[in-house]
């Protein structure tokens, strides 16, 4: 599967932004999907994950309650809705995938097999 994230940009603190990830290749609905981010000078970190059907979602503690991960298998697309954004959310956001029909959990420590190029999200104070 090939992945391409898009939709990043700049927003003021407290605002909202949505990023998406288009997947190409067969059987998108057999992949667990996730969002990760990497800020300058920091290690890449897990943000959110969703199982193949979209029934199960997982979030890091830092974004829980503010971000929502979702997917539309018919469109081969993954989404991340980000609300109440903070300057510390500034990072390059990457989507990732791993073929699996398990429900999870997919959390910190998960290293998916497939990665897309990232999209920059900048939150100004």
């Amino acid at each position: 599967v090939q992945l391409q994230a898009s939709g990043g940009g700049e927003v003021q603190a407290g605002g909202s932004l949505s990023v998406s990830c288009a997947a190409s290749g067969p059987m998108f609905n057999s992949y667990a999907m996730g969002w990760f981010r990497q800020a300058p000078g920091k290690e890449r970190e897990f943000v959110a994950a969703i199982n193949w059907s979209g029934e199960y979602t997982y979030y890091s503690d830092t974004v829980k309650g503010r971000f929502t991960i979702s997917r539309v298998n018919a469109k081969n697309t993954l989404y991340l809705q980000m609300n109440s954004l903070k300057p510390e959310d500034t990072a390059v956001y990457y989507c990732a995938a791993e073929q699996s029909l398990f429900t999870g959990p997919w959390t910190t420590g998960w290293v998916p097999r497939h990665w897309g190029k990232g999209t920059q999200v900048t939150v100004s104070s």
Side-chain angles (χ1 to χ4, degrees), residues 5-6 18 22 29 32-33 40 48 56-58 63 69 85 87 99 104 110 113 119 121 123:
S6 63
S18 179
N29 61 1
M33 302 293 297
Y56 295 90
T57 57
Y58 306 92
V63 307
I69 188 172
L85 283 161
Q99 195 163 28
W110 177 37
R113 181 174 181 180
T119 185
V121 172
V123 184

Side-chain angles (χ1 to χ4, degrees), residues 11-30:
V11 63
Q12 289 190 333
S16 298
L17 196 64
S18 179
V19 292
S20 61
C21 174
S24 60
M27 300 179 67
F28 174 73
N29 61 1
S30 68

Side-chain angles (χ1 to χ4, degrees), residues 17-63:
L17 196 64
S18 179
V19 292
S20 61
C21 174
S24 60
M27 300 179 67
F28 174 73
N29 61 1
S30 68
Y31 286 83
M33 302 293 297
W35 287 100
F36 293 75
R37 67 187 183 186
Q38 187 166 21
K42 295 188 177 181
E43 294 186 352
R44 183 181 62 202
E45 65 171 343
F46 168 81
V47 174
I50 189 167
N51 80 311
W52 67 272
S53 67
E55 184 177 1
Y56 295 90
T57 57
Y58 306 92
Y59 299 92
S60 69
D61 288 341
T62 56
V63 307

Side-chain angles (χ1 to χ4, degrees), residues 31-102:
Y31 286 83
M33 302 293 297
W35 287 100
F36 293 75
R37 67 187 183 186
Q38 187 166 21
K42 295 188 177 181
E43 294 186 352
R44 183 181 62 202
E45 65 171 343
F46 168 81
V47 174
I50 189 167
N51 80 311
W52 67 272
S53 67
E55 184 177 1
Y56 295 90
T57 57
Y58 306 92
Y59 299 92
S60 69
D61 288 341
T62 56
V63 307
K64 193 175 296 182
R66 300 188 297 122
F67 290 12
T68 302
I69 188 172
S70 62
R71 65 191 295 165
V72 178
N73 286 345
K75 294 184 177 181
N76 279 20
T77 304
L78 174 74
Y79 302 96
L80 184 68
Q81 175 67 40
M82 302 178 287
N83 299 328
S84 301
L85 283 161
K86 305 174 181 179
E88 51 265 42
D89 294 317
T90 296
V92 177
Y93 284 70
Y94 299 90
C95 58
E98 181 161 340
Q99 195 163 28
S100 174
L101 296 179
F102 292 127

